Amino acid sequence: RATGRAATGIADSIVRVGGPSTTHKEIVMDPKQRCIRTAPAAVLAAAVSAAVLAARINSAVADVSLPPVSVGVGVQTSFYSCTTGCIYSPGNITSGNSVEGFALDSIRLYVNGNVTDQIKLTFNTEYTGSGTNTVEVMDAIGRFEFNDMVNIWAGRFLPPSDRANLYGPYYANDWAPYADGVADYYPNVAVGRDNGLAYWGDFGMLKVQLGAFDGESLGKTTAVKDPGKLVYAGRLTLDFWDKEKGYYFNGTYYGDKDLLALGLAAQSQDSKTTFSLDGLMEKKLAGLGAVTVEAEYNKDNGLSSTTHSDGWYALASYLFPQVIGIGKFQLLGKYSDKTFDATALTPSNHLKTDEVNVNYIIKEFSARVGAYYLNQADDLPSAPSKKEIGLKLQLQM
């Protein structure tokens, strides 16, 4: 409608300018002749017509009211070197016992806009990395956000699940948050997402998230034999210190919050379940930087994989207080332990993963670089241990 008003205003201006122009043609002599008295009148008429047209165009543009839209971009890229086998990079060892390479791990385009103050829209895409070289729809969310306690999301987004899934790789504290097979061990259709409907609300120190999701999702989301049945998901989070508002979480706040949070999440489909218990503590030490501790326990009873499993991880990091150059240094260590139960065809096995980071935080999640080391061992004789080192860069705006 606003565009229509703009077009009408401009057209009306053109009609009005045409009037004086016609009158001017009646009094102007042959172009080869000079008329000292009529020429100034012609210039004056043209100037007035131009001023009227400009005023009407400005008025029409002012009538156009576009909804606020924000656009952002995120990039993660890396250099990696793997021994025996790669753990988190797209490298593939085909001959010898090592491989090196550069990877464009991820590119994301973020688009957010308000239809009204309460109705909002999110559309995000993900370039899935150098290995596949494809772009897919990551988020497509209709957001009905009325107040802190009543919010409804519909479309494709992260279902209620563990903290690690709800902060994703761009807001994780470490560079390889999903290498251990414990974090984010939930079914999904794309980048941890699924298609569905969810309610969420903040009630003081309590956050509630509940939803129902497709479950089929192109046949690659769950281990359930009948994927036509819905996946039901829920999460409860308690913030004992500072509050984390909104639907998503962070893996760290780099000392901006004093946080003590505990979360319980579960998903179920056709009596198959996955659940997790996770916690995050972050404390800013006066003049001494910030310390962060994160832990999770996850158990899958046939929802994400036909092989039942359980596992846990613990992570600790320390952010130095001194600004060196344009950023601060951070040290991080993580250990995980996961057990896959025995089946009729395979024995049980134990997967252990170590991760060490040395990071340089320039502007929190908008600009950071780091070096990482991964070591993963499986107690199956046919699965030798793997080692990977690399350098990571993340930019986001």
Side-chain angles (χ1 to χ4, degrees):
R1 294 179 183 174
T3 304
R5 286 200 300 269
T8 302
I10 294 171
D12 186 47
S13 299
I14 295 172
V15 171
R16 290 177 182 272
V17 172
S21 177
T22 304
T23 303
H24 176 58
K25 286 180 65 177
E26 294 174 355
I27 63 174
V28 172
M29 301 175 62
D30 189 289
K32 296 181 181 180
Q33 299 177 350
R34 297 291 179 187
C35 180
I36 298 176
R37 303 184 68 178
T38 58
V43 172
L44 179 61
V48 171
S49 298
V52 170
L53 178 60
R56 287 196 171 265
I57 291 175
N58 289 336
S59 176
V61 171
D63 286 342
V64 178
S65 179
L66 298 177
V69 175
S70 65
V71 178
V73 177
V75 175
Q76 282 191 350
T77 186
S78 65
F79 167 79
Y80 61 88
S81 177
C82 307
T83 303
T84 307
C86 292
I87 302 168
Y88 205 63
S89 67
N92 185 22
I93 296 179
T94 56
S95 61
N97 62 355
S98 65
V99 64
E100 295 178 344
F102 290 92
L104 183 56
D105 302 301
S106 169
I107 302 175
R108 293 184 174 182
L109 174 66
Y110 312 115
V111 181
N112 287 278
N114 289 10
V115 181
T116 69
D117 289 342
Q118 290 80 32
I119 303 175
K120 305 168 186 178
L121 182 66
T122 292
F123 174 69
N124 301 326
T125 65
E126 163 84 343
Y127 168 77
T128 56
S130 305
T132 57
N133 200 37
T134 59
V135 177
E136 61 185 345
V137 175
M138 184 170 66
D139 296 296
I141 318 169
R143 297 156 44 208
F144 299 83
E145 299 177 351
F146 302 105
N147 52 56
D148 287 347
M149 296 178 289
V150 181
N151 302 277
I152 305 294
W153 283 15
R156 175 178 293 181
F157 55 97
L158 291 168
S161 48
D162 63 343
R163 173 180 285 270
N165 191 32
L166 289 166
Y167 57 58
Y170 279 81
Y171 293 88
N173 200 1
D174 59 324
W175 288 113
Y178 312 120
D180 50 36
V182 178
D184 186 27
Y185 203 69
Y186 284 86
N188 71 94
V189 61
V191 203
R193 277 73 175 167
D194 205 349
N195 307 322
L197 179 74
Y199 158 83
W200 66 273
D202 286 322
F203 300 85
M205 65 185 296
L206 175 66
K207 185 190 302 292
V208 178
Q209 296 165 291
L210 301 169
F213 295 84
D214 183 30
E216 184 172 5
S217 302
L218 305 180
K220 60 179 181 179
T221 181
T222 73
V224 175
K225 292 183 179 179
D226 182 5
K229 296 183 178 180
L230 295 178
V231 172
Y232 297 97
R235 177 180 172 88
L236 300 175
T237 307
L238 285 171
D239 285 311
F240 296 94
W241 297 347
D242 289 346
K243 178 66 179 176
E244 299 173 281
K245 291 189 175 181
Y247 188 84
Y248 295 122
F249 297 94
N250 283 8
T252 178
Y253 292 87
Y254 294 115
D256 286 344
K257 289 181 181 289
D258 285 335
L259 195 69
L260 180 60
L262 185 66
L264 176 64
Q267 292 186 11
S268 177
Q269 181 186 27
D270 194 24
S271 76
K272 305 294 185 181
T273 62
T274 291
F275 75 89
S276 59
L277 178 67
D278 56 69
L280 179 69
M281 186 197 76
E282 183 160 290
K283 182 68 177 176
K284 185 174 183 179
L285 309 174
L288 297 175
V291 61
T292 304
V293 177
E294 181 186 357
E296 177 180 335
Y297 171 78
N298 173 273
K299 184 170 181 60
D300 178 57
N301 294 317
L303 178 62
S304 299
S305 172
T306 54
T307 303
H308 294 202
S309 64
D310 66 285
W312 62 273
Y313 72 80
L315 176 154
S317 68
Y318 175 69
L319 180 68
F320 289 88
Q322 298 87 1
V323 176
I324 300 176
I326 58 174
K328 298 179 180 181
F329 280 97
Q330 180 199 47
L331 297 178
L332 181 148
K334 181 180 180 182
Y335 174 80
S336 72
D337 188 305
K338 181 156 186 175
T339 300
F340 294 91
D341 295 346
T343 68
L345 300 177
T346 60
S348 65
N349 67 298
H350 222 164
L351 187 67
K352 299 178 181 179
T353 308
D354 302 311
E355 180 180 2
V356 177
N357 292 180
V358 179
N359 301 322
Y360 187 59
I361 311 303
I362 302 169
K363 191 180 179 183
E364 298 183 346
F365 298 108
S366 297
R368 58 177 181 161
V369 295
Y372 70 90
Y373 165 80
L374 288 170
N375 178 42
Q376 191 169 80
D378 195 319
D379 61 6
L380 289 177
S382 59
S385 63
K386 303 174 183 178
K387 290 181 173 60
E388 179 178 330
I389 60 172
L391 301 173
K392 282 270 196 174
L393 166 67
Q394 175 175 310
L395 297 176
Q396 196 169 206
M397 65 179 191

mmCIF file of all heavy atoms in Angstrom, residues 25-70:
data_model
loop_
_atom_site.group_PDB
_atom_site.id
_atom_site.type_symbol
_atom_site.label_atom_id
_atom_site.label_comp_id
_atom_site.label_asym_id
_atom_site.label_seq_id
_atom_site.Cartn_x
_atom_site.Cartn_y
_atom_site.Cartn_z
ATOM 1 N N LYS A 25 4.589 26.146 -24.211
ATOM 2 C CA LYS A 25 4.771 25.885 -25.635
ATOM 3 C C LYS A 25 3.957 26.849 -26.477
ATOM 4 O O LYS A 25 4.331 27.184 -27.586
ATOM 5 C CB LYS A 25 4.379 24.451 -25.959
ATOM 6 C CG LYS A 25 5.400 23.417 -25.483
ATOM 7 C CD LYS A 25 4.981 22.022 -25.817
ATOM 8 C CE LYS A 25 4.954 21.826 -27.337
ATOM 9 N NZ LYS A 25 4.618 20.432 -27.684
ATOM 10 N N GLU A 26 2.843 27.320 -25.963
ATOM 11 C CA GLU A 26 2.001 28.225 -26.738
ATOM 12 C C GLU A 26 2.620 29.612 -26.868
ATOM 13 O O GLU A 26 2.345 30.326 -27.829
ATOM 14 C CB GLU A 26 0.627 28.346 -26.073
ATOM 15 C CG GLU A 26 -0.166 27.051 -26.103
ATOM 16 C CD GLU A 26 -1.450 27.156 -25.322
ATOM 17 O OE1 GLU A 26 -1.654 28.200 -24.684
ATOM 18 O OE2 GLU A 26 -2.224 26.193 -25.354
ATOM 19 N N ILE A 27 3.481 30.024 -25.984
ATOM 20 C CA ILE A 27 4.021 31.376 -26.051
ATOM 21 C C ILE A 27 5.463 31.416 -26.511
ATOM 22 O O ILE A 27 6.007 32.461 -26.789
ATOM 23 C CB ILE A 27 3.916 32.086 -24.689
ATOM 24 C CG1 ILE A 27 4.769 31.353 -23.658
ATOM 25 C CG2 ILE A 27 2.472 32.178 -24.243
ATOM 26 C CD1 ILE A 27 4.829 32.082 -22.327
ATOM 27 N N VAL A 28 6.131 30.259 -26.609
ATOM 28 C CA VAL A 28 7.519 30.240 -27.044
ATOM 29 C C VAL A 28 7.567 30.382 -28.558
ATOM 30 O O VAL A 28 6.822 29.727 -29.282
ATOM 31 C CB VAL A 28 8.200 28.944 -26.604
ATOM 32 C CG1 VAL A 28 9.588 28.827 -27.208
ATOM 33 C CG2 VAL A 28 8.292 28.912 -25.091
ATOM 34 N N MET A 29 8.449 31.238 -29.048
ATOM 35 C CA MET A 29 8.605 31.470 -30.481
ATOM 36 C C MET A 29 9.405 30.340 -31.090
ATOM 37 O O MET A 29 9.835 29.422 -30.408
ATOM 38 C CB MET A 29 9.283 32.812 -30.720
ATOM 39 C CG MET A 29 8.511 33.993 -30.129
ATOM 40 S SD MET A 29 9.355 35.551 -30.284
ATOM 41 C CE MET A 29 9.448 35.712 -32.064
ATOM 42 N N ASP A 30 9.671 30.432 -32.389
ATOM 43 C CA ASP A 30 10.476 29.452 -33.088
ATOM 44 C C ASP A 30 11.813 29.292 -32.375
ATOM 45 O O ASP A 30 12.424 30.269 -31.966
ATOM 46 C CB ASP A 30 10.710 29.942 -34.536
ATOM 47 C CG ASP A 30 11.355 28.880 -35.367
ATOM 48 O OD1 ASP A 30 12.554 28.602 -35.138
ATOM 49 O OD2 ASP A 30 10.673 28.320 -36.225
ATOM 50 N N PRO A 31 12.292 28.052 -32.210
ATOM 51 C CA PRO A 31 13.517 27.828 -31.460
ATOM 52 C C PRO A 31 14.718 28.594 -32.000
ATOM 53 O O PRO A 31 15.657 28.863 -31.280
ATOM 54 C CB PRO A 31 13.736 26.315 -31.588
ATOM 55 C CG PRO A 31 12.389 25.763 -31.843
ATOM 56 C CD PRO A 31 11.666 26.808 -32.634
ATOM 57 N N LYS A 32 14.695 28.915 -33.296
ATOM 58 C CA LYS A 32 15.827 29.636 -33.884
ATOM 59 C C LYS A 32 15.818 31.105 -33.508
ATOM 60 O O LYS A 32 16.794 31.802 -33.714
ATOM 61 C CB LYS A 32 15.804 29.502 -35.414
ATOM 62 C CG LYS A 32 15.989 28.059 -35.884
ATOM 63 C CD LYS A 32 15.976 27.980 -37.390
ATOM 64 C CE LYS A 32 16.126 26.539 -37.869
ATOM 65 N NZ LYS A 32 16.112 26.428 -39.349
ATOM 66 N N GLN A 33 14.667 31.598 -33.033
ATOM 67 C CA GLN A 33 14.543 32.992 -32.669
ATOM 68 C C GLN A 33 14.852 33.187 -31.188
ATOM 69 O O GLN A 33 14.792 32.251 -30.402
ATOM 70 C CB GLN A 33 13.131 33.501 -32.977
ATOM 71 C CG GLN A 33 12.774 33.399 -34.443
ATOM 72 C CD GLN A 33 11.346 33.831 -34.694
ATOM 73 O OE1 GLN A 33 10.579 34.021 -33.758
ATOM 74 N NE2 GLN A 33 10.996 33.997 -35.943
ATOM 75 N N ARG A 34 15.159 34.389 -30.799
ATOM 76 C CA ARG A 34 15.425 34.714 -29.414
ATOM 77 C C ARG A 34 14.363 35.665 -28.932
ATOM 78 O O ARG A 34 14.048 36.652 -29.598
ATOM 79 C CB ARG A 34 16.787 35.392 -29.283
ATOM 80 C CG ARG A 34 17.937 34.509 -29.708
ATOM 81 C CD ARG A 34 18.158 33.350 -28.744
ATOM 82 N NE ARG A 34 19.235 32.478 -29.154
ATOM 83 C CZ ARG A 34 19.519 31.344 -28.540
ATOM 84 N NH1 ARG A 34 18.813 30.954 -27.492
ATOM 85 N NH2 ARG A 34 20.519 30.608 -28.972
ATOM 86 N N CYS A 35 13.781 35.377 -27.816
ATOM 87 C CA CYS A 35 12.767 36.252 -27.240
ATOM 88 C C CYS A 35 13.228 36.632 -25.837
ATOM 89 O O CYS A 35 13.195 35.822 -24.921
ATOM 90 C CB CYS A 35 11.409 35.568 -27.188
ATOM 91 S SG CYS A 35 10.118 36.632 -26.484
ATOM 92 N N ILE A 36 13.684 37.839 -25.656
ATOM 93 C CA ILE A 36 14.249 38.263 -24.402
ATOM 94 C C ILE A 36 13.226 38.217 -23.286
ATOM 95 O O ILE A 36 13.518 37.893 -22.149
ATOM 96 C CB ILE A 36 14.818 39.695 -24.553
ATOM 97 C CG1 ILE A 36 15.945 39.690 -25.593
ATOM 98 C CG2 ILE A 36 15.328 40.243 -23.229
ATOM 99 C CD1 ILE A 36 16.506 41.077 -25.899
ATOM 100 N N ARG A 37 11.967 38.448 -23.583
ATOM 101 C CA ARG A 37 10.958 38.560 -22.546
ATOM 102 C C ARG A 37 10.379 37.208 -22.149
ATOM 103 O O ARG A 37 9.967 37.026 -21.022
ATOM 104 C CB ARG A 37 9.843 39.492 -22.996
ATOM 105 C CG ARG A 37 10.367 40.879 -23.372
ATOM 106 C CD ARG A 37 9.277 41.826 -23.724
ATOM 107 N NE ARG A 37 8.483 42.153 -22.550
ATOM 108 C CZ ARG A 37 7.458 43.019 -22.549
ATOM 109 N NH1 ARG A 37 7.118 43.649 -23.650
ATOM 110 N NH2 ARG A 37 6.801 43.256 -21.442
ATOM 111 N N THR A 38 10.293 36.262 -23.091
ATOM 112 C CA THR A 38 9.677 34.974 -22.776
ATOM 113 C C THR A 38 10.685 33.976 -22.191
ATOM 114 O O THR A 38 10.306 33.060 -21.464
ATOM 115 C CB THR A 38 9.037 34.350 -24.018
ATOM 116 O OG1 THR A 38 10.034 34.192 -25.032
ATOM 117 C CG2 THR A 38 7.916 35.228 -24.518
ATOM 118 N N ALA A 39 11.949 34.097 -22.493
ATOM 119 C CA ALA A 39 12.926 33.131 -21.997
ATOM 120 C C ALA A 39 12.985 33.087 -20.472
ATOM 121 O O ALA A 39 12.971 32.009 -19.881
ATOM 122 C CB ALA A 39 14.309 33.433 -22.584
ATOM 123 N N PRO A 40 13.044 34.212 -19.743
ATOM 124 C CA PRO A 40 13.028 34.139 -18.274
ATOM 125 C C PRO A 40 11.771 33.483 -17.732
ATOM 126 O O PRO A 40 11.809 32.754 -16.738
ATOM 127 C CB PRO A 40 13.131 35.603 -17.854
ATOM 128 C CG PRO A 40 13.782 36.283 -19.005
ATOM 129 C CD PRO A 40 13.274 35.586 -20.214
ATOM 130 N N ALA A 41 10.644 33.705 -18.359
ATOM 131 C CA ALA A 41 9.402 33.070 -17.907
ATOM 132 C C ALA A 41 9.488 31.553 -18.049
ATOM 133 O O ALA A 41 9.016 30.791 -17.199
ATOM 134 C CB ALA A 41 8.217 33.615 -18.703
ATOM 135 N N ALA A 42 10.109 31.112 -19.149
ATOM 136 C CA ALA A 42 10.253 29.664 -19.348
ATOM 137 C C ALA A 42 11.142 29.050 -18.291
ATOM 138 O O ALA A 42 10.861 27.979 -17.742
ATOM 139 C CB ALA A 42 10.831 29.386 -20.747
ATOM 140 N N VAL A 43 12.253 29.726 -17.984
ATOM 141 C CA VAL A 43 13.156 29.219 -16.955
ATOM 142 C C VAL A 43 12.468 29.160 -15.611
ATOM 143 O O VAL A 43 12.594 28.203 -14.850
ATOM 144 C CB VAL A 43 14.419 30.114 -16.876
ATOM 145 C CG1 VAL A 43 15.280 29.712 -15.684
ATOM 146 C CG2 VAL A 43 15.220 30.006 -18.170
ATOM 147 N N LEU A 44 11.690 30.209 -15.288
ATOM 148 C CA LEU A 44 10.973 30.250 -14.017
ATOM 149 C C LEU A 44 9.957 29.118 -13.923
ATOM 150 O O LEU A 44 9.831 28.450 -12.896
ATOM 151 C CB LEU A 44 10.282 31.615 -13.862
ATOM 152 C CG LEU A 44 9.455 31.799 -12.579
ATOM 153 C CD1 LEU A 44 10.368 31.658 -11.362
ATOM 154 C CD2 LEU A 44 8.747 33.149 -12.580
ATOM 155 N N ALA A 45 9.226 28.887 -15.022
ATOM 156 C CA ALA A 45 8.225 27.810 -15.015
ATOM 157 C C ALA A 45 8.873 26.443 -14.826
ATOM 158 O O ALA A 45 8.376 25.592 -14.075
ATOM 159 C CB ALA A 45 7.428 27.838 -16.329
ATOM 160 N N ALA A 46 10.020 26.243 -15.489
ATOM 161 C CA ALA A 46 10.714 24.961 -15.349
ATOM 162 C C ALA A 46 11.215 24.763 -13.930
ATOM 163 O O ALA A 46 11.133 23.668 -13.361
ATOM 164 C CB ALA A 46 11.878 24.895 -16.337
ATOM 165 N N ALA A 47 11.741 25.825 -13.318
ATOM 166 C CA ALA A 47 12.245 25.723 -11.958
ATOM 167 C C ALA A 47 11.130 25.411 -10.973
ATOM 168 O O ALA A 47 11.286 24.584 -10.060
ATOM 169 C CB ALA A 47 12.944 27.034 -11.560
ATOM 170 N N VAL A 48 9.983 26.079 -11.135
ATOM 171 C CA VAL A 48 8.851 25.824 -10.251
ATOM 172 C C VAL A 48 8.368 24.385 -10.405
ATOM 173 O O VAL A 48 8.067 23.690 -9.430
ATOM 174 C CB VAL A 48 7.713 26.821 -10.535
ATOM 175 C CG1 VAL A 48 6.450 26.423 -9.784
ATOM 176 C CG2 VAL A 48 8.142 28.231 -10.133
ATOM 177 N N SER A 49 8.293 23.913 -11.664
ATOM 178 C CA SER A 49 7.837 22.547 -11.914
ATOM 179 C C SER A 49 8.773 21.523 -11.264
ATOM 180 O O SER A 49 8.337 20.548 -10.655
ATOM 181 C CB SER A 49 7.758 22.281 -13.426
ATOM 182 O OG SER A 49 6.816 23.155 -14.037
ATOM 183 N N ALA A 50 10.095 21.764 -11.395
ATOM 184 C CA ALA A 50 11.068 20.847 -10.795
ATOM 185 C C ALA A 50 10.950 20.841 -9.284
ATOM 186 O O ALA A 50 11.048 19.801 -8.639
ATOM 187 C CB ALA A 50 12.479 21.241 -11.222
ATOM 188 N N ALA A 51 10.744 22.009 -8.689
ATOM 189 C CA ALA A 51 10.613 22.088 -7.225
ATOM 190 C C ALA A 51 9.383 21.343 -6.750
ATOM 191 O O ALA A 51 9.409 20.636 -5.741
ATOM 192 C CB ALA A 51 10.549 23.558 -6.791
ATOM 193 N N VAL A 52 8.262 21.500 -7.499
ATOM 194 C CA VAL A 52 7.031 20.803 -7.126
ATOM 195 C C VAL A 52 7.215 19.294 -7.224
ATOM 196 O O VAL A 52 6.803 18.522 -6.350
ATOM 197 C CB VAL A 52 5.853 21.271 -8.014
ATOM 198 C CG1 VAL A 52 4.629 20.389 -7.797
ATOM 199 C CG2 VAL A 52 5.520 22.731 -7.727
ATOM 200 N N LEU A 53 7.877 18.845 -8.322
ATOM 201 C CA LEU A 53 8.110 17.416 -8.499
ATOM 202 C C LEU A 53 8.991 16.858 -7.388
ATOM 203 O O LEU A 53 8.708 15.805 -6.818
ATOM 204 C CB LEU A 53 8.760 17.164 -9.857
ATOM 205 C CG LEU A 53 9.124 15.700 -10.186
ATOM 206 C CD1 LEU A 53 7.878 14.834 -10.160
ATOM 207 C CD2 LEU A 53 9.822 15.614 -11.532
ATOM 208 N N ALA A 54 10.067 17.566 -7.059
ATOM 209 C CA ALA A 54 10.962 17.107 -5.996
ATOM 210 C C ALA A 54 10.233 17.022 -4.662
ATOM 211 O O ALA A 54 10.418 16.075 -3.889
ATOM 212 C CB ALA A 54 12.158 18.046 -5.878
ATOM 213 N N ALA A 55 9.391 18.021 -4.387
ATOM 214 C CA ALA A 55 8.649 18.016 -3.130
ATOM 215 C C ALA A 55 7.706 16.838 -3.055
ATOM 216 O O ALA A 55 7.564 16.196 -2.016
ATOM 217 C CB ALA A 55 7.891 19.326 -2.974
ATOM 218 N N ARG A 56 7.061 16.547 -4.186
ATOM 219 C CA ARG A 56 6.116 15.421 -4.178
ATOM 220 C C ARG A 56 6.844 14.081 -4.055
ATOM 221 O O ARG A 56 6.371 13.167 -3.403
ATOM 222 C CB ARG A 56 5.258 15.439 -5.441
ATOM 223 C CG ARG A 56 4.229 16.548 -5.411
ATOM 224 C CD ARG A 56 3.155 16.313 -6.458
ATOM 225 N NE ARG A 56 2.071 17.266 -6.268
ATOM 226 C CZ ARG A 56 0.969 16.995 -5.576
ATOM 227 N NH1 ARG A 56 0.844 15.819 -4.988
ATOM 228 N NH2 ARG A 56 0.012 17.901 -5.463
ATOM 229 N N ILE A 57 8.022 13.942 -4.703
ATOM 230 C CA ILE A 57 8.781 12.699 -4.586
ATOM 231 C C ILE A 57 9.226 12.500 -3.150
ATOM 232 O O ILE A 57 9.125 11.409 -2.581
ATOM 233 C CB ILE A 57 9.986 12.716 -5.543
ATOM 234 C CG1 ILE A 57 9.503 12.631 -6.993
ATOM 235 C CG2 ILE A 57 10.938 11.563 -5.234
ATOM 236 C CD1 ILE A 57 10.610 12.754 -8.016
ATOM 237 N N ASN A 58 9.720 13.588 -2.517
ATOM 238 C CA ASN A 58 10.137 13.482 -1.120
ATOM 239 C C ASN A 58 8.983 13.100 -0.220
ATOM 240 O O ASN A 58 9.107 12.306 0.701
ATOM 241 C CB ASN A 58 10.747 14.805 -0.642
ATOM 242 C CG ASN A 58 12.106 15.060 -1.277
ATOM 243 O OD1 ASN A 58 12.776 14.126 -1.694
ATOM 244 N ND2 ASN A 58 12.506 16.325 -1.358
ATOM 245 N N SER A 59 7.800 13.680 -0.504
ATOM 246 C CA SER A 59 6.619 13.364 0.299
ATOM 247 C C SER A 59 6.212 11.915 0.113
ATOM 248 O O SER A 59 5.850 11.217 1.073
ATOM 249 C CB SER A 59 5.459 14.288 -0.088
ATOM 250 O OG SER A 59 4.287 13.933 0.612
ATOM 251 N N ALA A 60 6.318 11.416 -1.148
ATOM 252 C CA ALA A 60 5.939 10.023 -1.415
ATOM 253 C C ALA A 60 6.895 9.058 -0.726
ATOM 254 O O ALA A 60 6.489 8.052 -0.156
ATOM 255 C CB ALA A 60 5.937 9.764 -2.926
ATOM 256 N N VAL A 61 8.213 9.368 -0.775
ATOM 257 C CA VAL A 61 9.188 8.506 -0.124
ATOM 258 C C VAL A 61 8.956 8.478 1.371
ATOM 259 O O VAL A 61 9.080 7.461 2.037
ATOM 260 C CB VAL A 61 10.615 8.980 -0.456
ATOM 261 C CG1 VAL A 61 11.636 8.226 0.393
ATOM 262 C CG2 VAL A 61 10.913 8.771 -1.931
ATOM 263 N N ALA A 62 8.594 9.637 1.941
ATOM 264 C CA ALA A 62 8.345 9.703 3.380
ATOM 265 C C ALA A 62 7.168 8.841 3.782
ATOM 266 O O ALA A 62 7.097 8.343 4.907
ATOM 267 C CB ALA A 62 8.110 11.150 3.798
ATOM 268 N N ASP A 63 6.203 8.664 2.836
ATOM 269 C CA ASP A 63 5.033 7.839 3.140
ATOM 270 C C ASP A 63 5.363 6.357 3.195
ATOM 271 O O ASP A 63 4.619 5.569 3.754
ATOM 272 C CB ASP A 63 3.937 8.061 2.077
ATOM 273 C CG ASP A 63 3.257 9.411 2.263
ATOM 274 O OD1 ASP A 63 3.383 9.973 3.370
ATOM 275 O OD2 ASP A 63 2.625 9.898 1.311
ATOM 276 N N VAL A 64 6.487 5.944 2.549
ATOM 277 C CA VAL A 64 6.846 4.531 2.516
ATOM 278 C C VAL A 64 7.472 4.143 3.853
ATOM 279 O O VAL A 64 8.461 4.711 4.277
ATOM 280 C CB VAL A 64 7.837 4.241 1.368
ATOM 281 C CG1 VAL A 64 8.241 2.785 1.384
ATOM 282 C CG2 VAL A 64 7.210 4.606 0.031
ATOM 283 N N SER A 65 6.886 3.158 4.525
ATOM 284 C CA SER A 65 7.380 2.707 5.817
ATOM 285 C C SER A 65 7.813 1.249 5.700
ATOM 286 O O SER A 65 6.977 0.346 5.614
ATOM 287 C CB SER A 65 6.291 2.849 6.887
ATOM 288 O OG SER A 65 6.748 2.392 8.124
ATOM 289 N N LEU A 66 9.114 1.012 5.626
ATOM 290 C CA LEU A 66 9.640 -0.343 5.500
ATOM 291 C C LEU A 66 9.908 -0.942 6.870
ATOM 292 O O LEU A 66 10.396 -0.245 7.768
ATOM 293 C CB LEU A 66 10.934 -0.324 4.683
ATOM 294 C CG LEU A 66 10.814 0.166 3.236
ATOM 295 C CD1 LEU A 66 12.197 0.206 2.591
ATOM 296 C CD2 LEU A 66 9.881 -0.725 2.432
ATOM 297 N N PRO A 67 9.604 -2.218 7.062
ATOM 298 C CA PRO A 67 9.890 -2.859 8.360
ATOM 299 C C PRO A 67 11.389 -2.943 8.585
ATOM 300 O O PRO A 67 12.157 -3.095 7.631
ATOM 301 C CB PRO A 67 9.266 -4.249 8.204
ATOM 302 C CG PRO A 67 9.238 -4.498 6.733
ATOM 303 C CD PRO A 67 9.000 -3.153 6.102
ATOM 304 N N PRO A 68 11.846 -2.854 9.838
ATOM 305 C CA PRO A 68 13.283 -2.956 10.117
ATOM 306 C C PRO A 68 13.808 -4.354 9.830
ATOM 307 O O PRO A 68 13.228 -5.345 10.254
ATOM 308 C CB PRO A 68 13.377 -2.613 11.604
ATOM 309 C CG PRO A 68 12.016 -2.925 12.155
ATOM 310 C CD PRO A 68 11.049 -2.631 11.059
ATOM 311 N N VAL A 69 14.894 -4.418 9.085
ATOM 312 C CA VAL A 69 15.517 -5.693 8.727
ATOM 313 C C VAL A 69 17.004 -5.605 9.023
ATOM 314 O O VAL A 69 17.651 -4.604 8.709
ATOM 315 C CB VAL A 69 15.298 -6.024 7.231
ATOM 316 C CG1 VAL A 69 16.051 -7.291 6.849
ATOM 317 C CG2 VAL A 69 13.818 -6.181 6.931
ATOM 318 N N SER A 70 17.554 -6.641 9.649
ATOM 319 C CA SER A 70 18.991 -6.704 9.887
ATOM 320 C C SER A 70 19.575 -7.878 9.121
ATOM 321 O O SER A 70 18.956 -8.939 9.022
ATOM 322 C CB SER A 70 19.286 -6.847 11.384
ATOM 323 O OG SER A 70 18.798 -8.082 11.878
#
